């Protein structure tokens, strides 16, 4: 994969419902297959040189779905978290979360807390699962905390920098993703990492999430490696020009 492998890849795992629909199966079966696809991918990603993977598992908007589907996804999340709890020491994963967990069931919250605590010294792949996550909600909570610090006299409003905001997000201190993948051919970010993804490269594939394989991840990385990232400057003959 060479040395220009993105250190942090974020994934919008979309298309579970369509995968199930194509097979005349209940949507929850699509989510189950999606969880298996994620499992295969996470076991392969470390070997490609990726250090951090953030996956969008449930958005702040996904509560609009039927109770049956929401409960199905929550059950699959809990099974996944517990599977990683059984495996974390063997696979050396470190697991984190993004999003406001307070709306999840107390049981799921406890399982996540236990997995985070127990895996915190893992030296392998750093996995972040976004649950009840919305980029706007994350910013709202960050602004709330910043305002609180200002009110308590701990922070001068004139001293607020972009870094101050970054440091108040759920994702801190994980670096910004260089590459954001979305499956199922949808060209939108659906409230995912809106601050952190400001300069990410986006890769959209038509593959439905349950069909996404480690080989597809490899292809996304190869596509990323062909991109010309400019960050608003100019890249002439490999020399960065700032003027
Ligand atoms: C993504 O798959 C998983 C979640 C949002 C939980 P979808 O369920 O959105 O699948 P489609 O978009 O309906 O195919
Ligand atoms: C984004 O997918 C959320 C997750 C993958 C968890 P959605 O299917 O919810 O997004 P929209 O509705 O297509 O924007
Ligand atoms: Mg969808």
């Amino acid at each position: 994969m060479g040395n220009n492998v993105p250190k942090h890849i974020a994934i919008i795992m979309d298309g579970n419902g369509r995968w199930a629909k194509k097979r005349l199966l209940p949507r929850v079966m699509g989510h189950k297959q999606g969880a298996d696809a994620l499992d295969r991918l996470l076991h392969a990603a470390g070997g490609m040189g990726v250090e951090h993977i953030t996956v969008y598992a449930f958005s702040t908007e996904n509560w609009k779905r039927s109770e049956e589907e929401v409960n199905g996804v929550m059950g699959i999340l809990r099974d996944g978290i517990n599977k990683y709890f059984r495996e974390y020491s063997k696979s050396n994963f470190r697991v984190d979360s993004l999003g406001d967990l307070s709306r999840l069931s107390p049981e799921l919250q406890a399982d996540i807390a236990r997995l985070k605590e127990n895996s915190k010294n893992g030296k392998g792949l750093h996995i972040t699962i976004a649950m009840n996550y919305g980029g706007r909600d994350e910013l709202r909570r960050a602004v709330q905390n910043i305002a609180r610090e200002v009110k308590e006299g701990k922070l001068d409003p004139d001293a607020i920098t972009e870094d101050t905001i970054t440091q108040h997000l759920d994702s801190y201190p994980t670096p910004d993703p260089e590459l954001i993948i979305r499956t199922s051919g949808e060209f939108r970010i659906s409230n995912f990492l809106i601050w952190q993804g400001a300069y990410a490269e986006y890769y959209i594939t038509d593959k439905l999430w349950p069909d996404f394989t480690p080989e597809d991840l490899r292809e996304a990385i190869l596509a990323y490696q062909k991109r010309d990232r400019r960050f608003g400057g100019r890249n002439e003959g490999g020399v960065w020009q700032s003027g």
Side-chain angles (χ1 to χ4, degrees):
M1 295 261 69
N3 52 17
N4 183 24
V5 172
K7 285 193 171 22
H8 183 183
I9 299 180
I11 310 179
I12 302 173
M13 307 183 291
D14 197 15
N16 295 346
R18 276 163 278 182
W19 185 94
K21 192 170 179 211
K22 261 174 52 181
R23 291 164 179 78
L24 306 175
L25 292 168
R27 292 180 62 85
V28 174
M29 287 300 293
H31 295 308
K32 178 78 195 68
Q33 291 296 317
D36 293 347
L38 175 63
D39 192 43
R40 290 190 291 271
L41 196 75
L42 293 176
H43 283 96
M48 298 181 198
V50 180
E51 293 173 22
H52 314 271
I53 289 210
T54 299
V55 292
Y56 205 5
F58 195 84
S59 76
T60 46
E61 288 72 36
N62 288 147
W63 297 104
K64 294 177 193 161
R65 300 195 180 187
S66 72
E67 199 181 325
E68 184 191 359
E69 182 170 358
V70 169
N71 289 341
V73 172
M74 291 298 153
I76 290 163
L77 276 175
R78 198 158 174 220
D79 290 346
I81 299 283
N82 286 319
K83 177 173 188 293
Y84 283 115
F85 181 74
R86 291 191 297 275
E87 281 189 1
Y88 73 85
S89 54
K90 189 168 49 123
S91 32
N92 228 353
F93 288 154
R94 178 161 65 93
V95 182
D96 265 326
S97 67
L98 285 187
D100 177 4
L101 304 184
S102 69
R103 199 170 162 188
L104 306 179
S105 74
E107 295 79 19
L108 181 54
Q109 288 182 48
D111 289 345
I112 296 164
R114 182 176 73 146
L115 176 56
K116 278 191 201 173
E117 175 58 28
N118 284 276
S119 70
K120 70 180 181 201
N121 296 320
K123 298 278 178 283
L125 187 67
H126 177 218
I127 302 166
T128 301
I129 311 170
M131 290 168 281
N132 189 29
Y133 175 82
R136 288 184 172 181
D137 183 63
E138 182 187 37
L139 277 165
R140 178 190 65 78
R141 288 182 287 106
V143 169
Q144 232 166 27
N145 288 331
I146 290 170
R148 225 170 258 132
E149 287 171 32
V150 168
K151 191 177 166 198
E152 289 165 3
K154 290 183 192 150
L155 186 63
D156 172 2
D158 291 324
I160 295 173
T161 61
E162 292 186 4
D163 285 342
T164 313
I165 296 169
T166 298
Q167 286 158 11
H168 284 78
L169 297 175
D170 299 345
S171 54
Y172 187 74
T174 305
D176 290 343
E178 295 98 325
L179 173 63
I180 298 183
I181 297 171
R182 182 166 188 148
T183 55
S184 304
E186 233 67 75
F187 284 72
R188 53 177 174 258
I189 55 177
S190 302
N191 207 4
F192 189 48
L193 303 180
I194 53 182
W195 176 273
Q196 300 89 332
Y199 261 105
E201 293 295 325
Y202 285 82
Y203 178 87
I204 317 275
T205 166
D206 283 334
K207 276 253 176 124
L208 303 175
W209 175 252
D211 294 327
F212 193 83
T213 64
E215 194 43 44
D216 294 316
L217 181 65
R218 202 179 291 279
E219 256 178 54
I221 295 172
L222 288 172
Y224 166 86
Q225 290 174 332
K226 293 193 189 112
R227 303 269 178 98
D228 175 18
R229 302 188 81 199
R230 300 185 188 174
F231 303 100
R234 290 183 291 143
N235 181 7
E236 285 170 12
V239 180
W240 288 95
Q241 310 285 328
S242 55

